Every structure is written in structure tokens, then in C-alpha cells.
Amino acid sequence: SLVGSEMCIRDSKKPIPEKSILITFDDGYMDNYTNAFPILKELDMKATIFVITSVIDEGSYYLSSERIKEMSDYGIDIESHTATHSHLDQLTYEEQLKELKDSKEKIESITGKKVLSVAYPYGDLNENSTKAVKEAGYSLAFTTNLGYSDRDDTPVKLDRIYVSSRSVSYTHLRAHETS
């Protein structure tokens, strides 16, 4: 979970479990609930969903507050993908801070849990973005840069490996791992 990951990053003496991964989903689509959630429950696994808060309860394409609460109560981490999924690097510092704070507050009001992390929309960030992330009270922030992350990385610039049916192949992952 992200809570465990945050504790490992903050406490350099706490070992990171061997072969550990975080499963993350971006945007907060309803199929995270209808497709992924049942499989995660069946396998007794947890994951993190980064939600765009301006679209919560907006039709059937994105997650509803009710579904977010249900998954959060089960142990799925519900985290921020900002309020409106804007390109942060094109916003002023104040606009970025508002995106981040508004999103964090809305998720916390739904789940009753502290929001620790954000995934940068489109992976777009600049120096102001990392400052705003810290100012808004986030501990971790995830990019879309292809790569592994560990405790030596900057906590507000963590890389991930994007996986979809049309993207990264196992061969590509192995090549990246050895480089």
C-alpha cells in the first residue's frame, strides 16, 4: 500500500519488501470498480486509484462517491490525480496549488482518510509542481516516466511502469531493468 511505501521511504532503516510492487490506476474510471476491484478482492490484493475529483459522481464513466468509499473501506488507496486533470506545468503556482488542495480535500471528505499522494496528469510537472505538491500536504508524487522507484528517489518525482494491453511488453520491461 502507499501508506507502507511512505513509511519505508521516510524510515531508511525499515526494509522495503523484496519484489514489492504498487498497482496503480489513473483517472478513476468506473471500470476500476466493475473490472479491477472484483479481481483484487478475489486475489486479496490492494491497489491505488488516482482519481480526478471534478468528475466524481458525473455519470457512469467515472467513479461515484459511493464506489470510492466502498473501495477505500476495503483497503484500496484512493489518491489524487488533481481536481481537473490539467497540465500542471502550464498553470501558475497558485493554480497548481488549488488543483492539488481541492482534490485532496474532496477525496478526504469522501473516504475519511488522509490523502498522501498524487499522480501528475500526463506526467507534466515543473519546479512549481513539486513545491505545490509539498505545500498542499502530499508526501509522494508519481510521474509517468518509465522506471523503477526506490527509497533513494525524490519522493515527489517517483517513476512508474505503465502497463496496458497496447503498451509496454515484457521484453521492454526486461530491457529497461538491465539498463
Side-chain angles (χ1 to χ4, degrees):
S1 76
L2 281 178
V3 173
S5 299
E6 182 201 28
M7 290 187 327
C8 285
I9 289 170
R10 289 186 179 278
D11 181 0
S12 62
K13 291 182 171 96
K14 185 173 179 64
I16 296 173
E18 208 171 309
K19 297 184 180 182
S20 58
I21 64 166
L22 290 175
I23 300 170
T24 63
F25 300 91
D26 285 7
D27 302 326
Y29 297 120
M30 185 57 84
D31 73 349
N32 297 160
Y33 179 82
T34 57
N35 297 330
F37 187 46
I39 295 168
L40 292 167
K41 288 193 303 188
E42 180 181 324
L43 298 173
D44 193 30
M45 296 178 75
K46 307 296 186 227
T48 299
I49 301 174
F50 293 103
V51 298
I52 305 164
T53 56
S54 64
V55 294
I56 293 172
D57 296 322
E58 295 290 323
S60 61
Y61 196 64
Y62 290 98
L63 290 168
S64 65
S65 297
E66 180 181 333
R67 299 295 184 234
I68 287 171
K69 177 71 170 137
E70 179 184 346
M71 290 190 293
S72 175
D73 288 348
Y74 173 78
I76 302 297
D77 291 320
I78 307 297
E79 303 291 325
S80 173
H81 205 28
T82 71
T84 64
H85 203 258
S86 296
H87 294 269
L88 292 178
D89 62 341
Q90 297 175 14
L91 302 178
T92 67
Y93 175 81
E94 292 75 20
E95 291 167 331
Q96 290 186 52
L97 189 58
K98 180 172 177 28
E99 280 281 324
L100 293 159
K101 282 185 172 182
D102 288 355
S103 177
K104 188 175 194 307
E105 289 169 7
K106 182 162 186 175
I107 297 165
E108 289 175 348
S109 73
I110 294 168
T111 65
K113 297 177 182 175
K114 183 177 165 89
V115 172
L116 303 172
S117 64
V118 61
Y120 297 107
Y122 313 102
D124 293 343
L125 67 140
N126 58 26
E127 190 176 318
N128 280 338
S129 306
T130 57
K131 288 179 188 173
V133 161
K134 293 174 189 173
E135 174 72 20
Y138 294 95
S139 304
L140 306 172
F142 294 85
T143 70
T144 56
N145 296 336
L146 179 64
Y148 298 105
S149 292
D150 63 33
R151 101 169 3 108
D152 296 328
D153 294 334
T154 304
V156 294
K157 288 185 181 178
L158 298 172
D159 295 337
R160 296 187 287 170
I161 297 174
Y162 177 79
V163 178
S164 81
S165 61
R166 291 172 270 135
S167 66
V168 178
S169 68
Y170 179 75
T171 304
H172 186 161
L173 291 175
R174 295 295 299 165
H176 181 74
E177 186 177 83
T178 58
S179 62

